[in-house]
Amino acid sequence: MRLTEQEIDFISDNLKLYGLTSEELHNDVLDHICTYIENREFDDFDTAHKKAIKNFGGYSEIRALQRNAYLETMFKKNMKREKAVAISGFTSSSLICIGMLFKFMHWPFASISLAMGFLLLITTFLPLYFYHRYKLAYIRNL
């Protein structure tokens, strides 16, 4: 069975209607469904479409696939944010500790180290930390 452009558009519109919003995932699922229909012998398009969706797991599985892809993307972004928070926190606390040590020992560059540590803490670590906490709360509510 060869699919026409109207039938492919119908399948594509149905996938969008049932919650498949990611363009890359949408194209992959559309390709799988069209390949399934074209490689089997069916009498009409409606029967072929219903069998293909049923074989794929139904529209609830397609929605779950979209949700899992979204959660995977969020997980990757979350890992990058965690690394940025850890690096900026370690760097700012190290600069502050070194600045304090230099201040106690009356060594040069103590004020510069303290200022850079507090500047990094205020401008980088704290905003990243609170943004990361906000995103974690958002992900938990999904």
Side-chain angles (χ1 to χ4, degrees):
M1 175 178 206
R2 297 289 305 162
L3 292 175
T4 64
E5 284 297 319
Q6 292 89 4
E7 292 168 340
I8 293 172
D9 289 340
F10 176 78
I11 296 170
S12 177
D13 292 342
N14 268 350
L15 291 176
K16 287 179 185 174
L17 178 70
Y18 285 103
L20 204 56
T21 57
S22 169
E23 190 67 32
E24 187 175 312
L25 188 61
H26 176 268
N27 291 337
D28 287 342
V29 171
L30 180 65
D31 182 52
H32 284 298
I33 290 174
C34 290
T35 304
Y36 178 83
I37 292 172
E38 288 179 348
N39 289 337
R40 307 274 189 302
E41 293 295 324
F42 292 106
D43 295 331
D44 62 340
F45 172 72
D46 290 332
T47 306
H49 180 253
K50 288 177 186 175
K51 289 245 185 191
I53 295 298
K54 186 177 180 182
N55 186 32
F56 205 81
Y59 285 112
S60 61
E61 269 309 304
I62 293 172
R63 273 188 238 116
L65 192 64
Q66 172 70 37
R67 184 174 187 274
N68 289 341
Y70 176 74
L71 289 176
E72 183 178 330
T73 304
M74 299 294 353
F75 178 73
K76 288 179 183 177
K77 289 179 181 178
N78 186 35
M79 293 302 293
K80 288 180 183 178
R81 266 194 322 271
E82 282 182 1
K83 286 180 184 178
V85 168
I87 290 170
S88 65
F90 176 75
T91 306
S92 64
S93 63
S94 296
L95 284 171
I96 291 170
C97 289
I98 289 171
M100 290 177 67
L101 174 67
F102 277 35
K103 211 43 143 166
F104 289 142
M105 302 302 275
H106 300 289
W107 290 342
F109 306 112
S111 299
I112 293 173
S113 178
L114 276 172
M116 292 301 292
F118 281 115
L119 183 68
L120 187 64
L121 177 78
I122 292 168
T123 61
T124 306
F125 174 71
L126 290 176
L128 275 175
Y129 174 75
F130 288 119
Y131 180 71
H132 178 65
R133 296 289 300 219
Y134 169 76
K135 284 297 198 175
L136 282 179
Y138 176 75
I139 290 172
R140 287 185 187 129
N141 289 332
L142 286 179

